[in-house]
Amino acid sequence: FSFLRHHKAQITALQETSCLSTRESTWWTKQYGGRAFWTTTNNRARGAAILLHRDLDSYKVSDVVLDNNGRFVMLFLHLPTFL
């Protein structure tokens, strides 16, 4: 995650994460330092994640769709209004 933190990507989509459990995804999320949404799989294939930089904490996530087969993550975000 040092590459992602260094380049300060606001939203990052990952594929082939091979994340096996909620415990593992929680550990990776702590390492990242922002919000993250993961699919988990029962083997070391598939897996997807969306990472939101901590600068986006004001963005409200209204819905999350996680594929049971670990193939995709969808987020529905409400962006803040700027005047």
Side-chain angles (χ1 to χ4, degrees):
F1 288 122
S2 61
F3 175 84
L4 297 175
R5 283 192 301 261
H6 175 72
H7 290 284
K8 298 180 183 177
Q10 298 296 303
I11 299 174
T12 304
L14 302 175
Q15 62 185 26
E16 301 300 327
T17 59
S18 303
C19 186
L20 294 175
S21 68
T22 302
R23 182 178 173 180
E24 185 178 0
S25 68
T26 300
W27 186 85
W28 281 113
T29 300
K30 287 180 183 177
Q31 295 299 308
Y32 175 63
R35 289 186 290 171
F37 303 86
W38 302 80
T39 60
T40 56
T41 64
N42 58 3
N43 58 34
R44 286 281 177 198
R46 299 183 299 273
I50 296 178
L51 311 177
L52 300 178
H53 191 276
R54 65 180 145 246
D55 289 348
L56 302 182
D57 282 346
S58 63
Y59 289 31
K60 181 182 178 221
V61 177
S62 63
D63 197 13
V64 179
V65 178
L66 303 173
D67 178 48
N68 291 333
N69 293 315
R71 300 202 185 274
F72 65 85
V73 176
M74 289 190 321
L75 297 182
F76 295 87
L77 297 171
H78 290 277
L79 309 179
T81 304
F82 298 101
L83 298 176

